[in-house]
Amino acid sequence: MSFQAYIDNIKKKTGKSPEDFRKLAEEKGFLLNGELTVKATQITDWLKEEFELGHGHAMAIYASLKGKTA
């Protein structure tokens, strides 16, 4: 599955875009000045628990938080 397919599926499931997840991560203190302040596990655990994302989908959001766009 391509990165974009993961992002599209996440949007369908949660109604949220990568930018929405960025804002939520900032509110949780996972990002400071646009830079991640936590490890991938904290991000993926949060996404799995709160949004019921699978590991691959959670990692796609993590990658987007790190700056991946395509």
Side-chain angles (χ1 to χ4, degrees), residues 9-27:
N9 286 334
I10 292 164
K11 175 88 171 160
K12 283 179 197 170
K13 179 175 182 154
T14 67
K16 298 193 180 326
S17 68
E19 187 55 39
D20 294 327
F21 283 107
R22 177 170 291 282
K23 288 175 186 166
L24 292 170
E26 286 173 352
E27 290 170 9

Side-chain angles (χ1 to χ4, degrees), residues 17-39:
S17 68
E19 187 55 39
D20 294 327
F21 283 107
R22 177 170 291 282
K23 288 175 186 166
L24 292 170
E26 286 173 352
E27 290 170 9
K28 288 189 133 329
F30 294 158
L31 289 167
L32 183 61
N33 298 322
E35 297 293 319
L36 284 168
T37 60
V38 297
K39 296 188 183 236

Side-chain angles (χ1 to χ4, degrees), residues 40-61:
T41 303
Q42 254 186 288
I43 300 287
T44 57
D45 287 350
W46 162 56
L47 295 169
K48 290 174 183 180
E49 182 178 320
E50 195 165 325
F51 298 98
E52 298 180 355
L53 295 181
H55 186 74
H57 290 86
M59 285 302 294
I61 294 299

